[in-house]
Amino acid sequence: MISFARGAPALECLDAELLADCARAAIHADRSVLAYGPGGGYGPLREWLGNRHGVEPGRVVVTNGGLQGFVFYAEELLAERPGQVLVEAPTYDRPLKILARLGADVRPLAMDDEGLDPDALERELAAGETSFLYTIPTFQNPSGRTLSTERRRRVVELAAAHGVPVLEDDPYGLVRYEGEPPPSLHELEGGELVTYASSFSKTVAPGVRVGWFVAPADVAARLEARAVSNYISPPFLTQATVHELIHRGAFEPNLERVKGLLRQRRDAMLGALAQHLDGEVTWSEPEGGYFVWVDLPADASELLTRAEAAGVTFVKGADFFPGGAGGERAARLAFSYESPSEIDEGVSILASLLR
Ligand SMILES: Cc1ncc(COP(=O)(O)O)c(C=O)c1O
């Protein structure tokens, strides 16, 4: 099966030798990485991340991947400020499932090529009490779109005017193949309402399960308390492994190598779409990240059934809309996992099925 469904890095992106060496060095340097410790994460890594974001280390909570942090954030915010949760439509499917489990009133915000529509945000903010806004402004999962700088400013202004907290989820921002990065919402707003979340899943390895949240001090304290009550302390071994990798200067070179491998895949995806499907479907053209969003001339669910029978899989658009309402004729194609030649083959199979 050629998988355009897996939003995961190709295995060759994962440097096993480097990580094994860093893990060994981390244990030898500090035996306490094998012990219990602070729920908010490995001290030296919190310090490094705090420096990077210009905040006190106590405002950084290192979680077991970004998604675990999302659960803690959503639980805390919904308890503290009951109200609607605003999300981009489409948005990452796992948070939608988590929010449904928590019984949240999830409201979709329309998007276009420049990201979420601030006018839609303004309307929803005026329509009812909002618990928080969840947004993935850069190389969004699933659409690959990036919120323009102008819209970022408006989103921050609207959040400030309504006093509404924002969760900026940014695991893909550093996985940029070209172009200039826009300022984060967190930078624009100053971190009073915006909590910034990211992860080493896309830059080092998803299996280390190291994500981080930069939050206002009270939110950070509550996230840390959630971590303690759920798992006592996180796996310091993998957090210290990531810290060792950074400390020895291997983060940037590793990221460059990973981006080189993924850029080839992004190029293969865009090239294959242009070669096999030009004029028949439209697609987003991301400067980074893992995903291309494709608008189809046909029902995605029916296409998926036939595609899987022909050896190709993807995620249908409806899975990324609250309640499955939308995206019936759309698909998310992840180019991160398969090789460039498999990507070309997979797209040519989809093209033959669409004809
Ligand atoms: C937007 C977004 N947020 C969070 C995550 C979860 O990442 P992690 O592996 O850090 O839990 C993903 C993973 O695909 C993602 O796409």
Side-chain angles (χ1 to χ4, degrees):
M1 187 74 82
I2 295 175
S3 179
F4 295 143
R6 300 191 80 164
L11 289 179
E12 66 177 309
C13 293
L14 314 179
D15 190 335
E17 279 308 310
L18 175 64
L19 283 165
D21 204 45
C22 290
R24 173 174 286 275
I27 294 178
H28 283 154
D30 179 4
R31 190 185 289 236
S32 77
V33 304
L34 300 173
Y36 290 125
Y42 183 58
L45 185 58
R46 288 174 98 175
E47 246 167 68
W48 185 82
L49 289 165
N51 266 335
R52 202 175 158 100
H53 292 282
V55 301
E56 290 298 309
R59 287 181 50 193
V60 178
V61 180
V62 187
T63 53
N64 298 344
L67 195 66
Q68 175 71 78
F70 177 86
V71 176
F72 293 162
Y73 183 90
E75 287 173 345
E76 279 301 322
L77 268 281
L78 286 167
E80 189 210 348
R81 319 171 31 102
Q84 56 191 8
V85 177
L86 307 182
V87 301
E88 289 144 349
T91 191
Y92 182 29
D93 51 345
R94 289 187 195 274
L96 286 180
K97 289 190 182 119
I98 292 162
L99 290 168
R101 174 168 57 76
L102 295 175
D105 172 17
V106 180
R107 298 291 167 96
L109 300 176
M111 295 182 88
D112 60 24
D113 284 345
E114 274 185 70
L116 81 83
D117 173 4
D119 294 337
L121 173 61
E122 188 166 20
R123 279 193 299 277
E124 288 297 339
L125 287 172
E129 289 300 309
T130 297
S131 181
F132 66 98
L133 163 68
Y134 172 62
T135 173
I136 309 161
T138 307
F139 311 139
Q140 199 228 20
N141 181 4
S143 70
R145 294 168 185 145
T146 293
L147 189 65
S148 65
T149 300
E150 202 188 314
R151 286 195 183 181
R152 284 172 194 246
R153 292 191 200 285
R154 270 210 66 208
V155 168
V156 162
E157 278 164 21
L158 287 167
H162 291 261
V164 165
V166 177
L167 178 56
E168 175 179 26
D169 190 9
D170 185 32
Y172 301 101
L174 289 178
V175 188
R176 173 175 282 280
Y177 313 126
E178 71 244 342
E180 283 303 308
S184 67
L185 300 175
H186 186 261
E187 285 162 347
L188 289 174
E189 190 269 342
E192 308 243 324
L193 285 166
V194 177
T195 291
Y196 177 89
S198 189
S199 169
F200 290 101
S201 286
K202 319 294 170 177
T203 53
V204 176
V208 295
R209 308 306 302 133
V210 183
W212 75 91
F213 279 60
V214 183
D218 59 320
V219 176
R222 297 209 311 274
L223 295 179
E224 178 155 7
R226 284 260 169 196
V228 173
S229 73
N230 275 274
Y231 46 69
I232 311 176
S233 51
F236 293 113
L237 174 53
T238 58
Q239 295 188 6
T241 300
V242 169
H243 179 261
E244 168 65 24
L245 188 147
I246 292 166
H247 186 65
R248 58 168 75 174
F251 181 76
E252 292 297 339
N254 181 65
L255 179 59
E256 283 310 311
R257 185 185 63 81
V258 168
K259 286 198 294 183
L261 292 166
L262 293 176
R263 185 189 291 113
Q264 289 169 9
R265 289 166 165 80
R266 190 279 313 260
D267 292 346
M269 176 61 81
L270 296 182
L273 287 167
Q275 187 188 340
H276 303 296
L277 280 164
D278 197 22
E280 292 172 70
V281 305
T282 54
W283 56 89
S284 58
E285 302 228 346
E287 292 184 331
Y290 280 17
F291 308 109
V292 166
W293 184 254
V294 180
D295 285 306
L296 300 164
D299 181 78
S301 181
E302 187 266 339
L303 176 66
L304 181 59
T305 306
R306 289 193 297 127
E308 287 186 343
V312 182
T313 186
F314 59 84
V315 184
K316 60 187 185 341
D319 290 4
F320 303 101
F321 285 78
E328 292 82 2
R329 291 175 157 235
R332 185 192 77 175
L333 303 185
F335 51 76
S336 53
Y337 190 71
E338 300 290 4
S339 68
S341 61
E342 285 159 336
I343 289 171
D344 185 67
E345 188 188 338
V347 173
S348 96
I349 291 171
L350 291 181
S352 65
L353 295 174
L354 278 168
R355 267 175 220 128

